[in-house]
Amino acid sequence: MQIRHKLIVGFAGVALLFGAVGMVSVHVGLNFLQDVMRVISIDLAVQMTDIIDRLTNVGLAITAVLTTLGILIGIYIFNHVWNPLSKLRTAMNKIADGDLETRIEIRRFDEIGELSDEFNHMADQLKKAKDALDASHGQYNAMLRAISDEMTLIDKDFNIIWSNTTSKHIHGENMVGQKCYTVYYQRISPCEPYPCPAIKALYDNQVHQYEAMVKGKDGRVRYLDCKANVALHDDQGRPEAVLEICRDITERRHMEDALRASERKCSDLVQNSPDGIISFDKTGHFLSFNAAAERMTGFSAREVLGRHFTKTSILADESIQKTVKEFGLLLSGVERSPFELVITRKDKSHLVMEANARLIKQNDREAWVQLILRDITERKEAERALDRSENMLRTIINATQDAMIAINEDGSINLFNPAAEKMFGCEKLEMIGNKLDSLIPEPYRHHHQQHVKNYFSTNKPNDVNGRTVEVQAQHRDGHTFPIELSLSIGTIDNQQMVIAIARDITERKKAEQTLEELNAALETTNLDLIRTNKELQEFAYIAAHDLKTPLRAIGTLADWLSVDYADKFDEQGKENVNLLVSKAKQMSSLIDDILRYSGAGQNTQKSQEVDLNEILSGVIKEIAPPKHIHVVVENQLPTTICKKTHIIQIFQNLISNAVKYMDKPEGQIAIRCVEEDNAWKFSVADNGPGIEEKYFDKIFKIFQTLKPCEGIESTGIGLSIVKKLVELNHGSVWVESEVGQGCTFFFTLPKSKQTTLASYKKG
C-alpha cells in the first residue's frame, strides 16, 4: 500500500509540476512584457496589454493543457508501470510465502514484459529447485533414517543440540539439550583427560577419530568407533558445534576379543606344540618360529626371523634343493604330501624331520606357507635298527647251524633255512608250501599232524612255547637221525606260525655215550683219589708223629747235654749244642706247619654265622702282642656266614706276622673293613720294615721266605695258608707295601645273603 500511495502522490506531483511550470512561464513572460511596456509608448502599451491578456489566457490554457497532460501521464504510468509492479510485488510475496505456483500474466514486449517473463522463469526455476530440494530432503531424511550410526551435534558447552533417530533410540528422546558426558557416561562433569577428542575438534578444527565405551539407556555397555569434525561456524567463522558420528562396534570388539583369544589360544598351541611350526612368506623368508622349532634346531627365533631359509644353516645341504622344489610346487597350487628332510642343529648335529607344508590363504592378508616339522630321528633310527635287525636275523637264520622251519595252520612250510636244507637234504624251493610229513619218520607222522591240528584249534601257545624235545627226523635218503627240537610261536606275514629249531644231535648222542663211559671211569678214579688222599693224610699224620718223636728226643738230649756238660764244652761246643736244640725246634715247627697246610680246607666244619668282632678280639688276646705294639680295630666288623676256623687262622697268621717282624719301638697294627658291591674288604696294616715289590708274589708261595731276620725263625708257610684259606672262601689276597714304611695285607670275602649289617658301621 505504501508503494501505491507513493505512486499516486508522484503522479499528482508530476501534473502539478507541469501546471506550475506553465504558470511560471506565463508569469515570467507577463512580467517581462510589463517591464517592456514601461519604456514604450502608451499605444503600444495598450496593444501590448491586449497581447498580454491574450498571452495570459494562452498561458492559462497552456497550464491547463500541461496539467491535464501531467495527469494523463500519471494515469498512464499508473496503468502501465505501477499496476504491473504491484502484480509483481504480490507474486513475489506469494513466492516468499512458499506459493511457487504463482505466475504473472503480462503480455507486453517492453521492459515490464521482459521483467514479467523473467519473474515467471524465476518462479519456474524456484519450483524446480523446491521440488529437487524436497526430493533431496526426502532422500536426506531417508538416509538419516537408514544410517545406523549415531549422529549428534555438540556445542562448545557440551550441550547436545541435535541427534538423529538412532542416537535417540539408544540414549532416549530427551537427550537433546543435555550434556554429552551425562548422556554417554553418566558423569556430572566433563570427561578426563580434558578436552575429549570431540571437544578438541572445536579447538584445533581437525578431524578426530577415536574409540569410546558408553552406556545406553538400557544400561548395556557398548563400544563405539567415533569420528568428530566441526560442522557449524559463527558469523566470524569460528567453530561453534561439532558433529560426532559413532558406529557401534560392540559386536566387532567382541569378535576381535574372541579372535584375539582364539589367536592367543592358537599361539599357545603353536608355541606349546611338540612339533616345530614355522611360517614363511611367498619368497621364503621366515615369518614365525615356535618354541619347538627352537628346541629342535638350537636356533632362537630372533636369529632366523626375516631371513631366507636357504641363507641359514638350518637345512642340511642335501635338503635345500628338495625344500626349494617342494616350496615351488606348493606355491603353484600343487597339493603336496609329507616329505623328509635333514636339519643341521646349531651344535652341528643332525636330525631327520618329517615335513608337512601347506599354503595358507586369507582374505585380509597375503598368502603364506606353513611348515610343520616332526622329529622322526628316533623313528628313522628305529627303522634302520629294524632293518639291521631284520638283516641280522636273516643273516643269522641263513648262517645258523641249526635248522629253522616255520609251519602255518595247515601244516605247510613257510620258512626253510640253508641249515635245514643241509640237515634234511632237501631244497628250500621244493619244501616251501609243502607239508612237513616227509621229514618225519612214518611212525611219528600221525602224532605230529594231530599235534599241529590241536594247537591251532585250541590256540594254546603255552603248550608249545619254550618246549624242547628230542625226536627222530628223517633225511631225504630215508635214514633217520636224532634231533633236538625247540618250539616257539611267532608271526610271519601276519600269520601265526609254529617255529621249530632243529639241531642234529647225532654227534652229541655219541659224545654223551662216551661221556657217560668217561664219567663212570672218572667216578672210579675219584674214589681212588679220595682213598689215596685219605691214605696220604693218614700217612702225613703218622709220619709227622714218627718224625716228631725222635726230634723231641734229640731236643731233650741236647738240652741235657747243654746243662749237664756245660763245663765240659768250649765255646764252639756250646754253640753247636745250642744250634742243635734250635734246629730241632725249627724242624718240629716245620712239621706242624706242613700238617696245618695239608689240613687247610679239609675241615668238615659247616659255615655258620660268625661275629668277626668277637673272633678278632679272641685272636688278639691269644697272640698277646708286646706292650710296644698297639693293635687297633678301626671300625666295626660285619657278622657274616663263613667257616669259623678259617677266618681265625687268616687273622691269626696276618696279625702274628705283623707282630713277629715289627722293627719299630712303637709298633702300630691297624685292622679295618670296607664294604664293596659284592664283598667285604679287610686290611691288616703295620708300620714295620715293609716288603719290596718284587717279593709281593713270592711271599704267598709255600716254603718261600725273605732274608732271615735276626732272632726270627720262619718256615715260609703262614702266608701260603692264608692264601689257601681265602681262596677256598672265594676271596682274594694281596699286599701293598713301601720299604721302611710298613705293609698292608688285604683280603676279601664275598657277601652272602645272610650277611648282617646291623653291627657294621663304616669307618
Side-chain angles (χ1 to χ4, degrees), residues 128-152:
K128 292 179 181 179
K130 182 178 182 300
D131 293 341
L133 181 61
D134 290 341
S136 176
H137 189 265
Q139 293 175 355
Y140 171 74
N141 288 332
M143 289 175 60
L144 286 179
R145 287 192 299 270
I147 291 175
S148 60
D149 294 343
E150 299 179 37
M151 301 177 67
T152 55

Side-chain angles (χ1 to χ4, degrees), residues 364-571:
D364 59 343
R365 59 181 296 184
E366 190 175 358
W368 50 283
V369 175
Q370 183 185 71
L371 184 68
I372 299 177
L373 298 177
R374 176 164 293 177
D375 187 352
I376 59 170
T377 305
E378 293 184 358
R379 189 183 82 188
K380 297 300 289 186
E381 291 177 353
E383 290 174 356
R384 287 193 291 269
L386 180 60
D387 290 341
R388 289 194 299 269
S389 177
E390 291 178 348
N391 291 333
M392 184 180 296
L393 180 61
R394 193 176 298 109
T395 301
I396 291 173
I397 290 173
N398 292 332
T400 183
Q401 298 300 310
D402 294 334
M404 296 186 68
I405 304 171
I407 308 165
N408 63 16
E409 187 172 351
D410 63 0
S412 301
I413 298 173
N414 280 55
L415 174 67
F416 202 79
N417 74 336
E421 293 179 312
K422 181 179 179 182
M423 182 180 293
F424 294 98
C426 303
E427 295 290 335
K428 174 181 177 180
L429 293 178
E430 65 178 303
M431 295 304 298
I432 295 296
N434 290 325
K435 305 293 183 179
L436 192 65
D437 296 350
S438 61
L439 307 180
I440 300 174
E442 180 64 32
Y444 307 107
R445 288 179 186 173
H446 177 73
H447 176 73
H448 161 72
Q449 294 169 354
Q450 192 63 37
H451 185 75
V452 172
K453 181 179 180 181
N454 289 340
Y455 164 70
F456 283 107
S457 62
T458 59
N459 195 21
K460 295 181 178 179
N462 291 333
D463 294 343
V464 176
N465 260 340
R467 290 186 58 186
T468 301
V469 294
E470 291 183 5
V471 296
Q472 290 291 317
Q474 180 172 294
H475 194 271
R476 185 174 187 174
D477 61 10
H479 80 272
T480 61
F481 57 95
I483 62 172
E484 183 180 73
L485 188 65
S486 296
L487 302 175
S488 60
I489 304 301
T491 301
I492 300 177
D493 295 334
N494 297 321
Q495 295 185 46
Q496 195 173 34
M497 298 188 181
V498 176
I499 300 174
I501 300 177
R503 178 174 294 175
D504 187 345
I505 57 174
T506 303
E507 296 300 326
R508 192 180 79 183
K509 284 296 184 180
K510 293 179 181 178
E512 285 177 355
Q513 184 177 357
T514 303
L515 183 60
E516 288 176 0
E517 295 173 355
L518 291 175
N519 282 338
L522 182 60
E523 186 175 355
T524 302
T525 303
N526 189 39
L527 292 174
D528 292 339
L529 285 174
I530 292 173
R531 185 178 65 254
T532 301
N533 284 336
K534 186 175 181 181
E535 291 173 355
L536 286 174
Q537 189 174 7
E538 291 175 352
F539 172 77
Y541 278 103
I542 294 171
H545 181 269
D546 292 344
L547 287 173
K548 289 183 73 174
T549 299
L551 277 176
R552 282 195 296 270
I554 293 172
T556 302
L557 181 59
D559 283 338
W560 290 349
L561 289 174
S562 63
V563 174
D564 295 341
Y565 295 95
D567 57 342
K568 304 297 183 182
F569 293 122
D570 56 10
E571 292 300 323

Side-chain angles (χ1 to χ4, degrees), residues 37-38 40-52:
M37 289 176 61
R38 289 186 185 107
I40 59 172
S41 63
I42 297 174
D43 293 331
L44 185 59
V46 173
Q47 294 177 1
M48 289 300 293
T49 300
D50 184 51
I51 293 172
I52 290 171

